[in-house]
Amino acid sequence: MLVLTTLVASIISSFGAPLIPTVARHFHESLSTAQWSLTVALLVGTMSSPFLGRLGDGPRRRATMLGGLAVVTAGGVVAALAGGLEMLVVGRGLQGVGLGLAPLAMATARHELPQAKVPPMIALLSVSSAAGLGAGYPISGLIADAWGLAGAYWFGAIVSGFALICVAAVVPSSAGRSDPDRLDWVGTVLLALALVTALVAVAEGTEWGWGSPAIIGLLVAGVVLFAVWAVQQLRAGNPLVQLRLLRHPSVLSGDACAMVLGAAMYLVLSGVTELVQSPRSGGFGFSASPVVAGLVLIPLSFFLLSASRTLPTLVARMGIRAVLTLGCLVAALGCGFFAVFHGALWQAFVMTGVLGVGLGITFAAIPGLIVQAVPARETGSAVGFYQVVRFTGYSMGSALTATILAAHVSGNGQPAVGGYTMVLWISVGICVVAAALAWFLPARSTRLKPAGAPAVQRQGEAQLADQ
């Protein structure tokens, strides 16, 4: 049920990229404006991750999971009934809460499952979250092609409602096992304001002008708010996120890689799905339907899951530092391939497959790296912060795609091929930066232990982590 919840929430929250051209036509908006139907879900997911993760560290874990799924279900109904883009964005924002359920599921797995099953389950849940994002694209495209834009969101409401019933029947309550923590409402509000101001500036920079007072003011406000939030978190008695955990090399390197790889992933996903739907009359693109655009991402989801299964073998032979670096470089290779060769549709399938291999290795390794480095009581908070930085990367990638394409418009008002290739080359650069971070921020004592490690050894590691 934890895997089902993670997959369903990720699939529904990702109903965006293949539908962006459809949303733009349906509501008579530009592509950059319609992009907010995806960006807002990622933004809300970024803000909800630490909040839900902190709730998951206490006795309200099951109730929080049920409440999150209820909000996602309501969001599907709102989006399906939307008569304008504004209401659609509201519904998509509610659906984005589902992205915050992944750290909650990981915290539940750590507390409810036998110790030997925890490491592989953490890795599976992390990869399921990323794979669900890719799987949501062909599903949403297929349903929208058959039953229209509203049909895709009605499907999301039905599936999330089914997951809600399943969780209520299966996931046990954690009430009475620990005292509830006081929620850091100040930290939650500060983080939300900081993220919103920064992402609006990035998304609207080209439209409003990068030198305009509004954009400069938003960027400055975002930096200041992030700084204030960091200081408040360090001083709070029960912070939303334990920023001091970043002092551990494993946590720092894992979170840094997650942010930049998340940005690269969504630059590619948004750019490629829009490129393949571009009309051939423009000299590029394949005039593909939303269904085909979604199918292009099937190799991404498949290899995200399959590549993650090779993680124990790779780590045993190479070490986690080299594995993370290799995964980042493989992802860069896939982006670079399509930046050079994009004249045939099969090349897009190859690119997403290679990207899936690279991301499957890295996204499976990072959560386990972080979980082993922190005390058990901080699992939800630490993984929640990992989700924050990863979804911040997702949001930045989505917003950057809109900005780059808006800056490269051809005579017919549509994005030019130069904009799409620039998106891909920027993704290459970001993946190389991630590889450098993984290599030059070495995580000491980070060789992952096999799932069957002796209980005494695991107990000693837990005691050391608590210290």
Side-chain angles (χ1 to χ4, degrees), residues 286-369:
F286 309 104
S287 299
S289 66
V291 178
V292 175
L295 291 175
V296 167
L297 301 179
I298 287 291
L300 174 73
S301 295
F302 174 80
F303 285 105
L304 267 168
L305 289 171
S306 59
S308 68
R309 309 303 294 174
T310 66
L311 181 64
T313 302
L314 291 175
V315 171
R317 293 183 178 181
M318 303 171 59
I320 191 64
R321 178 186 179 194
V323 168
L324 284 176
T325 305
L326 175 64
C328 296
L329 293 177
V330 170
L333 177 65
C335 299
F337 169 81
F338 198 59
V340 176
F341 305 104
H342 48 264
L345 188 59
W346 66 266
Q347 293 164 345
F349 283 87
V350 171
M351 185 275 292
T352 58
V354 176
L355 182 65
V357 171
L359 294 180
I361 295 172
T362 53
F363 284 161
I366 293 173
L369 192 69

Side-chain angles (χ1 to χ4, degrees), residues 10 30 32 79 113 122 129 143 172 194 260 271 273 345 362 372 412 414 422 433 446 448 463 466:
S10 298
S30 66
S32 60
L113 297 180
I122 293 292
S129 176
I143 296 174
V260 291
T273 52
L345 188 59
T362 53
Q372 289 189 6
N412 60 2
Q414 298 298 314
M422 178 170 287
V433 169
T446 56
L448 295 180
Q463 293 173 349
D466 287 339

Side-chain angles (χ1 to χ4, degrees), residues 422-439:
M422 178 170 287
V423 165
L424 291 165
W425 283 120
I426 290 176
S427 302
V428 171
I430 290 175
C431 290
V432 172
V433 169
L437 290 172
W439 187 256

Side-chain angles (χ1 to χ4, degrees), residues 67-93:
L69 286 170
V71 171
V72 174
T73 303
V77 175
V78 172
L81 297 175
L85 183 61
E86 295 80 5
M87 187 58 66
L88 176 66
V89 168
V90 171
R92 293 287 296 132

Side-chain angles (χ1 to χ4, degrees), residues 261-281:
L261 285 174
M265 177 177 173
Y266 261 82
L267 276 163
V268 173
L269 297 190
S270 299
V272 169
T273 52
E274 293 179 31
L275 186 150
V276 299
Q277 293 182 75
S278 298
R280 293 181 182 273
S281 58

Side-chain angles (χ1 to χ4, degrees), residues 15-16 18-27 76 79-82 88 136-157 290-291:
F15 278 8
L19 300 182
I20 289 173
T22 304
V23 170
R25 291 192 299 269
H26 186 81
F27 295 110
L81 297 175
L88 176 66
Y137 290 171
I139 292 173
S140 61
L142 181 64
I143 296 174
D145 188 61
W147 292 295
L149 188 64
Y153 299 123
W154 278 121
F155 170 80
V291 178

